[in-house]
């Protein structure tokens, strides 16, 4: 974040990854190549090493996101900006899809003080006593913050469906419940960016094998991952329906091809940048008399005898 | 975080900022120069621009902290490591002392996924209905996380004392209560690093003036800051007593000279690095049969007809 940066942010080819990556019903995941790189500028721009170029761009975009974050936070302190605005990135993916890596790279280039990152695992006994959105509501970012959800309420129409954790009537009803919930969030000042990181079956296999091969990665491996992998087609169908049913103007879904990690990070960073651009943020005006405060400060600094300590 | 890094981490002069910056009773803040740079290597090492050198070092140390974070998190997933360990950085300072900036720079160089950052403002009505440690307990980092407290329970013996928010008998009793609480945390696997960022009266004046001069910083300014500044000596005395009474082996206090921001960030990064070194972290062994899982994975990848989608 503080490393010296060279160059400038280059806009995605075609101007907007929000347009290129947005999906609407009916969503056909098989038609989206997980190795593709929509919006990536041509080689004349990126040079022969697009990976290195994209990583540098993520750092640059991260700096810009940090400036936007500060304005978002500053605006939330002003009583005039109500409902106070928030941004919420929802990340979903198959196992090994790169949710952690995306947060590490993209959030890692932003200001940690304004981030509100939450991961959702299997529901706890306490969480299971409530409706599926209860734990989600408790994890929403406060006003002025950028939230990032590592998994989300969408698990309740994904693993809950494929694993038959609840009756079909229950998960079928959830699509509408999610749409109502997200509509409510949008009305309350939350700008949602929902991203599915889209990896291929082959890429998942390679990444799982890597976790089994490198002892430093054993802790990331869970035998249940292979069970879920055996249900790949069912999961893809569940994703397609969730994206089709819950991709709304208030809370759009984006599919980011994610076999190439560097493209994935670059695309998510630009999705956030373009989302911030739609907010037209600025700094709030002072809610105090600036000249008066300057007078008070100069009196405190020179007009008294000064502190006993640290007077050097 | 992902920017290409050159060079290697250089240890502080004398080997350990934990030793150089640790304070024990009686603490005399007036004897510590806020512009000093204890442990900073000599010019032969840093070159003529120690600021640039220190910022590069913070990025390098941040990368190392990221690796330590991952092991801390991995260990917390292993049932053998109980009580599960956590690290908690407590940051205290006068207004404009640089708490936000330190988090931005140091946490910004780490992995955001393993961070648990909490800021404490004036207590809410709900918080005031409980004892002063109630909101602190709720904000503790989960096992495996690195917590950072932007202000903390120490406000309850600082502003609560100087501003006479509670009777003297109440805040006087809190030193022992804090020591018991922190002893309990340490026994529960929490490694505490308590840091006072030590700025001078003159430097605070300059930073406040900057907030009044730059319209993009007006939102950071609060007229009450000047009121607190008028009580500088009282605050310094309150800090000195808190550091003297609550600097224990289980939860030591460190004073970081903070007039120079680049030194401040460098020192805090090394304090964290040296703290991690005392934990001797590693990766937990696999709690599953690695060979068996590799077999299962290869069957799933090649032995079935393969998924209908994403089969390219």
């Amino acid at each position: 974040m503080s490393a010296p940066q060279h160059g400038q942010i280059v806009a995605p080819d075609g101007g907007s990854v929000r347009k290129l990556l947005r999906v609407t019903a009916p969503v056909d995941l098989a038609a989206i190549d997980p190795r593709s790189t929509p919006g990536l500028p041509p080689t004349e721009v990126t040079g022969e090493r697009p990976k290195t170029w994209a990583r540098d761009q993520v750092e640059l975009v991260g700096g810009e996101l940090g400036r936007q974050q500060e304005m978002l936070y500053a605006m939330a302190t002003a009583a005039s900006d109500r409902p106070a605005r928030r941004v919420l990135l929802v990340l979903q993916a198959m196992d090994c899809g790169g949710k952690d890596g995306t947060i590490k790279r993209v959030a890692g280039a932003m200001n940690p003080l304004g981030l509100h990152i939450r991961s959702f695992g299997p529901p706890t006994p306490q969480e299971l006593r409530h409706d599926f959105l209860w734990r989600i509501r408790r994890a929403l970012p406060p006003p002025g913050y950028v939230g990032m959800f590592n998994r989300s309420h969408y698990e309740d129409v994904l693993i809950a469906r494929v694993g038959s954790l609840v009756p079909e009537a229950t998960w079928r009803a959830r699509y509408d419940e999610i749409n109502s919930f997200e509509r409510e969030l949008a009305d309350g000042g939350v700008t949602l960016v929902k991203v599915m990181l889209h990896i291929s079956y082959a890429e998942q296999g390679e990444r799982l094998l890597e976790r089994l091969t490198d002892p430093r990665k054993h802790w990331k491996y869970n035998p249940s991952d292979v069970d879920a992998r055996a249900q790949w087609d069912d999961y893809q169908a569940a994703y397609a329906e969730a994206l089709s049913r819950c991709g709304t103007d208030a809370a759009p879904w984006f599919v980011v091809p994610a076999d190439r990690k560097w493209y994935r990070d670059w695309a998510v960073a630009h999705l956030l940048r373009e989302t911030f651009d739609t907010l037209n943020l600025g700094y709030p005006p002072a809610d105090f008399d600036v000249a008066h405060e300057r007078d008070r400060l100069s009196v405190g600094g020179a007009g008294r005898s000064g502190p006993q300590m640290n007077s050097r």
Side-chain angles (χ1 to χ4, degrees), chain A:
Chain A
M1 178 157 191
S2 61
Q5 294 296 341
H6 310 290
Q8 294 191 316
I9 297 172
V10 177
D13 225 30
S16 164
V17 283
R18 275 182 72 89
K19 284 182 188 157
L20 285 170
L21 302 179
R22 169 115 189 239
V23 291
T24 49
V27 174
D28 179 9
L29 287 170
I32 302 173
D33 182 353
R35 290 190 66 78
S36 63
T37 57
L40 191 77
T43 312
E44 301 90 76
V45 175
T46 66
E48 296 299 324
R49 300 175 64 192
K51 177 175 171 176
T52 305
W53 179 87
R55 294 232 148 125
D56 286 347
Q57 285 284 304
V58 168
E59 287 297 309
L60 287 170
V61 174
E64 172 60 21
L65 292 175
R67 287 183 283 279
Q68 296 281 341
Q69 269 184 293
E70 184 170 277
M71 288 188 280
L72 186 73
Y73 188 85
M75 290 302 291
T77 66
S80 57
D81 192 53
R82 293 290 178 272
R85 283 175 288 182
R86 291 162 266 183
V87 171
L88 177 56
L89 175 69
V90 171
L91 284 177
Q92 285 287 157
M94 298 291 287
D95 291 320
C96 298
K99 299 182 300 296
D100 287 11
T102 302
I103 293 176
K104 180 176 176 178
R105 291 279 181 176
V106 178
M110 298 171 69
N111 185 344
L113 204 55
L115 292 173
H116 189 87
I117 302 170
R118 293 294 179 274
S119 297
F120 295 94
T124 64
Q126 186 195 26
E127 288 168 352
L128 285 172
R129 282 196 296 274
H130 296 84
D131 80 282
F132 76 105
L133 294 172
W134 180 78
R135 65 175 184 165
I136 305 298
R137 289 182 188 276
R138 289 162 54 97
L140 292 171
Y145 280 73
V146 176
M148 296 194 180
F149 279 0
N150 189 347
R151 303 187 190 270
S152 68
H153 43 299
Y154 283 94
E155 292 296 330
D156 296 288
V157 290
L158 294 167
I159 189 171
R161 165 182 168 158
V162 177
S164 300
L165 306 185
V166 294
E168 177 166 349
T170 301
W171 61 255
R172 283 230 166 267
R174 286 178 176 166
Y175 298 115
D176 287 342
E177 289 162 15
I178 288 174
N179 286 338
S180 297
F181 170 62
E182 293 182 350
R183 175 79 253 171
E184 174 196 329
L185 291 185
D187 291 343
V190 180
T191 302
L192 280 151
V193 186
K194 301 184 297 189
V195 171
M196 182 207 176
L197 304 175
H198 179 49
I199 59 165
S200 63
Y201 185 81
E203 180 72 16
Q204 187 194 50
E206 284 178 30
R207 294 185 188 179
L208 282 171
L209 188 60
E210 201 181 326
R211 291 184 180 182
L212 284 172
T213 305
D214 184 345
R216 291 172 305 176
K217 295 186 175 178
H218 283 351
W219 67 276
K220 293 186 185 181
Y221 181 86
N222 190 319
S224 70
D225 296 347
V226 172
D227 303 331
R229 178 169 167 79
Q231 297 173 296
W232 181 271
D233 291 345
D234 293 339
Y235 270 105
Q236 295 287 311
Y239 265 106
E241 183 158 5
L243 271 54
S244 296
R245 296 282 304 270
C246 301
T248 62
D249 285 341
W253 265 111
F254 303 94
V255 173
V256 172
D259 273 10
R260 300 174 198 262
K261 294 174 181 174
W262 54 268
Y263 170 77
R264 170 198 81 196
D265 300 334
W266 176 86
V268 173
H270 276 288
L271 278 175
L272 283 174
R273 183 188 59 77
E274 292 174 17
T275 302
F276 268 117
D277 280 349
T278 68
L279 300 182
N280 291 310
L281 295 170
Y283 285 97
D287 56 1
F288 50 83
D289 182 336
V290 175
H292 176 66
E293 292 299 323
R294 288 181 67 113
D295 288 347
R296 286 179 71 215
L297 183 60
S298 61
V299 169
R304 63 192 278 261
S305 61
Q308 299 305 305
M309 297 186 282
N310 295 314
S311 54
R312 66 178 67 78

